[in-house]
Amino acid sequence: MLTWAQRMVAGERLYVDLIDVNPPMIFWLNLPPAMVSAATGLPAAMLLVGWYALLTVAGLTVALPDLSRLLPTGPRLGVIAGAIGGLVILPAHSFTQREHVLFALSLPYLIHALARADGRAGRSSWFTAALFAVSVCLKPHFLIIPAGIEGFLLIRRGIAPSLRDPVVPIMASAGIAYLGAVALFTPAYFSATLPMMAELYTSAGVEWRELLQGNQVLPLLVGCLGLGLLTWRGGAAAQLLLVYTVGAAMIGISQMKGWDYHFIPARGGLFILAGWAFGWGLSARPGRAIIATFALVFGYASILAPPFAAQRNFAQSPAARLRDLMQQTAPGGAALWFTTSLKPQFSILQTTGGRYVGHYMSLWPLPELYPPKGPSGLRPLDRLEGIERDLMTATAADLARKPDLLVVTDGASEPGFGARTWDHLAYFKRDPRIAAALADYVPVDRVDGWTLYRRFKP
């Protein structure tokens, strides 16, 4: 996402030069650090983390003072410990993913929802509601959390107080303004991207059985059930925290991918709820509640996502060797990847200072166009249509930019092909434009499942 924002700063157009299925909010949110990086030369990734930390601190600075009058000392300290664990420890390698941003910007809204449940929210809740509305616009799935919380408040307070509450109109107005901005500034999202999603992307995902057997959903459901039974009688605060956690779990489940970062808000909510339970049970000794909460967070993280494990593993991985090879072959050069994955190209390019020149972040449409269990054989070049024709045309245009390096991934190791034999170059070489451009490249070396090519003609 950051790479796309950097290219937007350079003048490329979202959904025209930069093709992606995600709504534009995340790209717009990433523009400030990308612009500062372009102006100052500071590392964009560092600025990105700082930017979202600033937004998080701004919301919590407004909301945290209200927490002291909403919860007793023990539950309050337990909730804070759980929130810190969910924000800093559990995300691990998923910092600044959209779910991480949602969790960070939803916490001030959640605090003020506790105040609104008792009719004690002030005007500061307007700011946190607007901030939260921005994060909800990142994905349509994120609407589940405000729907659950506002539904809970409606049941608890009744219709009249809910109608007088300005929070829902503020969030709805932000959503309407966002849709208007999308139509005005990125009309191709409606005319091209949504049809592309309807054609292919909505069918991508895993089956229910595979999702439930993974290491994400079952622990969350068991945790929600256990903590729900334990805390439901603890009053509106505990109930609201449970509603938030269940809603966050539904966000991860509804995306039907089973990816770990989809469950960042759910894991964070679970540990906030656990912190509340520890704080309530150990109200006479709040320090122990904090220790118990952090122990639970670290224990869970050590199993699921150990802090800095991804960074340590990367240093010894084939991807690190590929990064070093690319840096030696063409330092800071432009690169094009033939892969259906998002990893590791963007992390490598961010660390090497290279540029990515592809229209698409990856070739994810190919496994959908040629599924493992589908008929064998390729469609004739003159019969390509829709997204497949667009993908071929975009690849020809990418190669016309004369990238310094090409990285080609073995099809058998690609996500989506199910170990089926697939040759990216053979697929694309059917187009004469692409075949002619590829003739300017020679193989440099092979690292694990990647083959690196460099351009030898000026």
Side-chain angles (χ1 to χ4, degrees):
M1 306 297 184
L2 178 59
T3 300
W4 253 225
Q6 290 175 292
R7 290 172 61 177
M8 290 167 64
V9 170
E12 296 189 65
R13 298 163 296 172
L14 189 59
Y15 307 121
V16 178
D17 305 307
L18 308 167
I19 310 299
D20 195 72
V21 298
N22 294 296
M25 179 60 81
I26 186 60
F27 304 107
W28 293 345
L29 270 181
N30 287 352
L31 280 176
M35 294 170 68
V36 173
S37 177
T40 64
L42 292 172
M46 179 190 73
L47 292 169
L48 183 74
V49 173
W51 166 240
Y52 285 118
L54 179 64
L55 292 179
T56 302
V57 169
L60 291 176
T61 300
V62 170
L64 270 179
D66 291 329
L67 196 61
S68 61
R69 61 187 178 87
L70 296 172
L71 296 177
T73 301
R76 182 174 71 253
L77 294 178
V79 164
I80 292 174
I84 293 173
L87 279 172
V88 179
I89 300 170
L90 287 173
H93 54 278
S94 298
F95 259 76
T96 70
Q97 287 280 7
R98 281 164 294 170
E99 280 75 5
H100 185 231
V101 175
L102 171 72
F103 180 59
L105 301 188
S106 69
L107 291 180
Y109 164 78
L110 180 59
I111 292 171
H112 280 147
L114 300 177
R116 293 163 59 213
D118 293 331
R120 293 192 287 173
R123 290 193 174 184
S124 57
S125 64
W126 299 8
F127 171 73
T128 58
L131 198 61
F132 177 58
V134 170
S135 69
V136 171
C137 291
L138 292 171
K139 284 186 181 182
H141 310 79
F142 293 173
L143 284 167
I144 295 174
I145 285 181
I149 287 180
E150 298 304 326
F152 174 86
L153 293 177
L154 175 63
I155 294 172
R156 177 175 174 81
R157 298 183 301 179
I159 295 178
S162 295
L163 290 177
R164 293 194 297 268
D165 192 334
V167 166
V168 172
I170 287 172
M171 292 193 295
S173 298
I176 294 170
Y178 171 58
L179 290 175
V182 174
L184 180 62
F185 297 111
T186 56
Y189 180 74
F190 293 115
S191 62
T193 303
L194 288 183
M196 177 177 67
M197 291 178 65
E199 181 181 349
L200 291 180
Y201 190 76
T202 53
S203 64
V206 300
E207 296 181 355
W208 279 105
R209 180 180 299 178
E210 183 179 350
L211 187 66
L212 294 175
Q213 289 176 346
N215 63 354
Q216 300 292 334
V217 176
L218 192 58
L220 288 172
L221 295 181
V222 171
C224 287
L225 178 61
L227 287 171
L229 292 174
L230 181 65
T231 61
W232 187 255
R233 295 182 180 274
Q239 293 168 5
L240 197 54
L241 292 175
L242 180 62
V243 169
Y244 174 89
T245 304
V246 171
M250 293 304 299
I251 287 174
I253 293 171
S254 66
Q255 297 184 68
M256 293 299 294
K257 299 292 193 302
W259 297 342
D260 64 340
Y261 71 84
H262 285 171
F263 297 92
I264 289 175
R267 293 198 296 267
L270 195 66
F271 287 104
I272 289 176
L273 190 59
W276 183 94
F278 286 137
W280 190 264
L282 300 169
S283 57
R285 298 181 177 182
R288 293 190 177 183
I290 295 175
I291 293 172
T293 303
F294 277 123
L296 189 61
V297 171
F298 276 108
Y300 191 85
S302 66
I303 297 172
L304 192 63
F308 304 110
Q311 290 82 352
R312 293 194 303 270
N313 294 337
F314 179 82
Q316 307 298 325
S317 69
R321 297 198 299 272
L322 175 63
R323 175 201 60 192
D324 295 340
L325 181 61
M326 294 176 67
Q327 187 74 338
Q328 295 166 9
T329 305
L336 179 64
W337 291 65
F338 290 83
T339 177
T340 63
S341 176
L342 293 179
K343 298 178 181 179
Q345 60 265 39
F346 293 106
S347 57
I348 286 179
L349 292 171
Q350 286 293 338
T351 57
T352 62
R355 294 180 294 111
Y356 184 74
V357 299
H359 278 72
Y360 291 78
M361 286 189 180
S362 77
L363 302 176
W364 66 266
L366 290 178
E368 303 302 318
L369 291 164
Y370 297 95
K373 297 180 181 179
S376 59
L378 303 176
R379 298 177 185 87
L381 190 65
D382 58 358
R383 292 177 57 188
L384 300 186
E385 58 184 21
I387 188 173
E388 188 172 12
R389 181 189 60 230
D390 295 342
L391 185 64
M392 190 71 73
T393 301
T395 302
D398 296 338
L399 287 166
R401 296 173 177 176
K402 300 182 178 181
D404 303 294
L405 298 172
L406 301 180
V407 183
V408 182
T409 307
D410 288 346
S413 63
E414 290 276 79
F417 286 116
R420 171 188 179 183
T421 301
W422 180 269
D423 188 332
H424 285 303
L425 294 187
Y427 173 80
F428 283 109
K429 278 184 176 179
R430 297 178 301 145
D431 187 310
R433 299 168 298 175
I434 295 176
L438 289 175
D440 295 343
Y441 293 83
V442 294
V444 175
D445 204 347
R446 181 180 174 84
V447 179
D448 200 44
W450 300 290
T451 303
L452 180 66
Y453 296 78
R454 67 173 176 83
R455 181 178 172 82
F456 68 90
K457 288 187 178 181

